[in-house]
Amino acid sequence: MSTKISLKQINKLAIPALIAGVSEPILSLTDTAIVGNIHINATESLAAVGIVGAFISMLIWVLGQTRSAISSIVSQYVGADNVDAVKNLPAQAIFIITSLSILIIISTYPFAQSIFKLYNASGLILDYSVDYYKIRVFGFPFTLFTIAVFGTFRGLQNTYHPMLIAIIGASANIILDFILVYGIEGYIPAMHIKGAAYASVIAQFLMAIFSAYYLLTKTNIPLRFSFPFNPEIKRFIIMILNLFVRTLALNVTLYFASAFSTSYGKNYIAAYTIAINLWFLGAFIIDGYASAGNILSGKLIGGKEYKNLILLSNKLIKYGIVLGITIAILGAILYYPLGTIFTKEPQVLEEFYNIFWIVLLMQPLCALAFIFDGIFKGLGKMKILRNVLLFSTFVVFVPILFWLDALDYKLYGIFIAFTLWIIARGLPLIIKFRKEFLPLSQKV
């Protein structure tokens, strides 16, 4: 049976995925806003949250690629009407990835200070970074568990339950941030930056609990690990390895951006932290439609529906550009109020306002890059995604960043390099997709 590709069908998947996806940057933005308004050492605290956030994002993105791999394989089996053949794959994937997360904790916890020195953190910023990380890292296994469950739901063409789980986690994090950072006089002492870390860990734990509950009660996918390994585990691991290399390249970009902005001084890293977290928010909003592309393209390729695959890409291009422009316009309208949500420091705000317009102009370009990222993940073509990101990072972003830094462009240089990096990510994917699937769609 042919899959219906309509705005209604796309939105049915995209809007819940958008809401679920936005929960991740909301967790970081909540920490950023609340910590940035602490009365004692607010700028140093804000800088520490930004540095640690960059490192934890790297870890999550490297190992969190299970979501895309599980989603791709399961959705292709849904399209082929043979999902029972991969019922035991998610539990095996979850076991592998959570085991790796525990190894990450063991290998990074004792060396937290050395890690954040690599980000050019020093003095009070370094102390706060270590304090914050040594609490937040314990939420890592819960986050990866939740991400893997989300991938299973996506493969089953279900973004509704991940949305519910994400809302629970984001709501809990916001409430706990206020309680634990500022304290409740006479009941709970103000814990400042450590309170923000505890709030995140508790929220991640709640999301993992609800993820397990919904998967077991709303699907027939078991969570019990069992042998033998599913035949698709080999393809899963190859996908993960390609995405692992790809994500390392992505995090080279984020590392250099964070390290350079830190080297410019505390006001620059604080402004960068606000700008990059708002960029992440825009990216995750757009990612709702990228997720729809991921979910539907996997199903369509599984059912060999090439005409509908081209139709899907055309619709997503249109919707993505409209969404990107809308985000940019809303950001322009709220340009100055947005900054004051996160800090009241005039020097930090000045640096933020100087570069935020670049973040807004990037949004339509981000939409195209992220949507085709999603489509290629759904198709299982992780090797292409790996090569494109290696090119955009090491041939485009890094040389341009070093060049603009030498010209003393500071944050301007970072965000100009980001813009060119996004273009180098999106354009090759669009060309490759059209070249491969247009001829197939025209065959009778």
Side-chain angles (χ1 to χ4, degrees), residues 256-276:
F256 276 114
S258 181
F260 272 62
S261 58
T262 304
S263 71
Y264 301 144
K266 67 179 185 180
N267 293 323
Y268 288 94
I269 180 57
Y272 169 81
T273 298
I274 298 169
I276 199 66

Side-chain angles (χ1 to χ4, degrees), residues 133-308:
Y133 179 73
K134 284 192 170 183
I135 298 166
R136 267 209 70 178
V137 72
F138 288 102
F140 194 42
F142 303 126
T143 297
L144 292 178
F145 176 90
T146 302
I147 286 171
V149 173
F150 279 17
T152 307
F153 273 118
R154 285 187 178 193
L156 296 170
Q157 315 294 291
N158 178 345
T159 56
Y160 175 73
H161 287 100
M163 176 190 71
L164 293 182
I165 297 161
I167 289 171
I168 290 166
S171 301
N173 190 77
I174 291 168
I175 294 165
L176 289 167
D177 257 338
F178 277 102
I179 293 171
L180 299 179
V181 173
Y182 299 140
I184 299 175
E185 193 172 348
Y187 296 95
I188 299 172
M191 300 170 71
H192 305 304
I193 193 169
K194 288 185 179 180
Y198 282 120
S200 294
V201 172
I202 295 168
Q204 288 160 341
F205 174 72
L206 285 173
M207 289 175 72
I209 294 295
F210 278 95
S211 295
Y213 170 77
Y214 280 125
L215 189 70
L216 292 173
T217 58
K218 302 298 180 182
T219 77
N220 62 353
I221 302 293
L223 273 175
R224 183 171 56 87
F225 175 79
S226 62
F227 287 109
F229 278 113
N230 189 283
E232 286 287 3
I233 202 75
K234 182 179 178 182
R235 183 157 72 111
F236 169 78
I237 291 171
I238 292 170
M239 284 184 180
I240 289 295
L241 289 174
N242 279 319
L243 289 171
F244 179 80
V245 173
R246 175 183 183 272
T247 309
L248 284 178
L250 187 154
N251 282 288
V252 166
T253 302
L254 294 176
Y255 164 74
F256 276 114
S258 181
F260 272 62
S261 58
T262 304
S263 71
Y264 301 144
K266 67 179 185 180
N267 293 323
Y268 288 94
I269 180 57
Y272 169 81
T273 298
I274 298 169
I276 199 66
N277 276 297
L278 287 170
W279 183 82
F280 285 143
L281 179 63
F284 279 96
I285 290 172
I286 293 164
D287 193 56
Y289 285 87
S291 297
N294 179 321
I295 294 162
L296 289 169
S297 64
K299 184 180 179 183
L300 293 171
I301 199 74
K304 296 182 171 55
E305 297 182 51
Y306 301 117
K307 284 186 179 179
N308 278 337

Side-chain angles (χ1 to χ4, degrees), residues 52 55-56 59 104-105 108-109 112 115-116 128-138 197:
V52 175
F55 182 66
I56 287 180
L59 295 177
I104 293 288
I105 293 173
T108 61
Y109 188 91
I115 290 166
F116 298 118
Y128 282 169
S129 296
V130 172
D131 288 344
Y132 185 66
Y133 179 73
K134 284 192 170 183
I135 298 166
R136 267 209 70 178
V137 72
F138 288 102

